[in-house]
Amino acid sequence: EAQVTQNPRYLITVTGKKLTVTCSQNMNHEYMSWYRQDPGLGLRQIYYSMNVEVTDKGDVPEGYKVSRKEKRNFPLILESPSPNQTSLYFCASRPRAADTGELFFGEGSRLTVL
Amino acid sequence: EDQVTQSPEALRLQEGESSSLNCSYTVSGLRGLFWYRQDPGKGPEFLFTLYSAGEEKEKERLKATLTKKESFLHITAPKPEDSATYLCAVQAIGNFNKFYFGSGTKLNVKP
């Protein structure tokens, strides 16, 4: 089954404790992206990757890091989480960056930073 | 600045009561406008892509239309299973790596 898989789905952590949210897709997509969703603000792009070893900032990259060492994986790293990073996070992919088609989303990861 | 505004924020309908959701956009050259459905606890699920003014797409009880400044998602004779949050997003020419999403319309269809 074609899918985007995120882990963990739910996480409660404390300020400053490094964490990684993993994202994996099995569709051989070149383009992957991370979003955060907050009430009233919609989905905002954090980082995106056009292919292996090619990443760039979205609209809200502060406090986050990413890496793309393999085509299928695009982990989101919070080096020193803060309470304002409490949010619902979504990973998404599409075949190629230049496509004009849909994004395929994961199920989401709900992060709470105390 | 590219942006998307959706209205209303929430909409409550009786089963069978048709209505429309609005998505107004400002973008420096539209490459595509997308509609997604999001169920609670789930990721957004793709519904439609519209590329140019005058275009229409249909799927079951849903029909999406596009003008140069806005898009409408028309829901005809909705059923309770149509209850969800509907998201609109745009992609700009020359900046196809980014998608700008609205904050969504939460639709509740009562039986």
Side-chain angles (χ1 to χ4, degrees):
Chain A
E1 180 188 355
Q3 59 186 5
V4 178
T5 303
Q6 297 179 225
N7 280 296
R9 294 289 314 281
Y10 302 91
L11 179 62
I12 299 174
T13 190
V14 295
T15 298
K17 186 176 181 181
K18 181 179 179 180
L19 67 92
T20 299
V21 185
T22 64
C23 174
S24 180
Q25 49 91 8
N26 63 0
M27 295 170 280
N28 200 37
H29 286 174
E30 291 181 356
Y31 178 90
M32 298 184 74
S33 185
W34 276 102
Y35 292 84
R36 60 178 289 173
Q37 186 175 39
D38 302 290
L41 294 177
L43 283 158
R44 293 180 292 167
Q45 191 174 40
I46 304 171
Y47 270 95
Y48 63 89
S49 170
M50 292 191 289
N51 213 327
V52 176
E53 302 292 0
V54 182
T55 63
D56 206 349
K57 297 177 181 178
D59 294 316
V60 288
E62 295 78 19
Y64 305 95
K65 284 177 60 177
V66 293
S67 68
R68 187 91 182 274
K69 293 183 170 54
E70 304 168 281
K71 199 172 189 178
R72 64 184 293 129
N73 296 323
F74 190 43
L76 180 69
I77 303 157
L78 285 73
E79 294 270 2
S80 183
S82 62
N84 65 11
Q85 292 179 296
T86 293
S87 188
L88 179 58
Y89 291 87
F90 287 100
C91 180
S93 72
R94 68 190 304 191
R96 283 169 298 278
D99 285 348
T100 54
E102 65 190 275
L103 285 167
F104 295 81
F105 283 87
E107 297 274 85
S109 296
R110 185 168 291 282
L111 172 64
T112 301
V113 184
L114 302 175
Chain B
E1 181 181 322
D2 300 334
Q3 64 179 19
V4 177
T5 303
Q6 291 188 245
S7 62
E9 287 186 17
L11 181 62
R12 178 179 289 188
L13 299 174
Q14 287 296 129
E15 185 172 1
E17 179 187 2
S18 302
S19 188
S20 297
L21 281 54
N22 178 263
C23 171
S24 297
Y25 63 91
T26 303
V27 66
S28 51
L30 180 70
R31 192 162 192 258
L33 184 142
F34 308 85
W35 282 99
Y36 288 84
R37 170 190 170 126
Q38 186 175 19
D39 293 301
K42 301 281 190 180
E45 182 181 334
F46 173 77
L47 291 172
F48 304 109
T49 306
L50 300 166
Y51 295 105
S52 57
E55 189 175 359
E56 298 182 352
K57 293 275 180 72
E58 281 190 71
K59 181 179 182 179
E60 296 181 359
R61 294 175 293 281
L62 301 176
K63 183 167 88 171
T65 61
L66 181 65
T67 72
K68 289 187 177 180
K69 293 185 176 181
E70 58 191 349
S71 177
F72 292 94
L73 185 64
H74 306 278
I75 303 176
T76 302
K79 298 182 178 182
E81 53 262 42
D82 295 321
S83 297
T85 296
Y86 291 87
L87 304 174
C88 173
V90 298
Q91 188 184 34
I93 293 171
N95 195 8
F96 49 78
N97 290 308
K98 292 191 174 184
F99 292 81
Y100 297 93
F101 281 83
S103 54
T105 293
K106 186 173 183 179
L107 175 65
N108 186 6
V109 182
K110 296 283 193 180

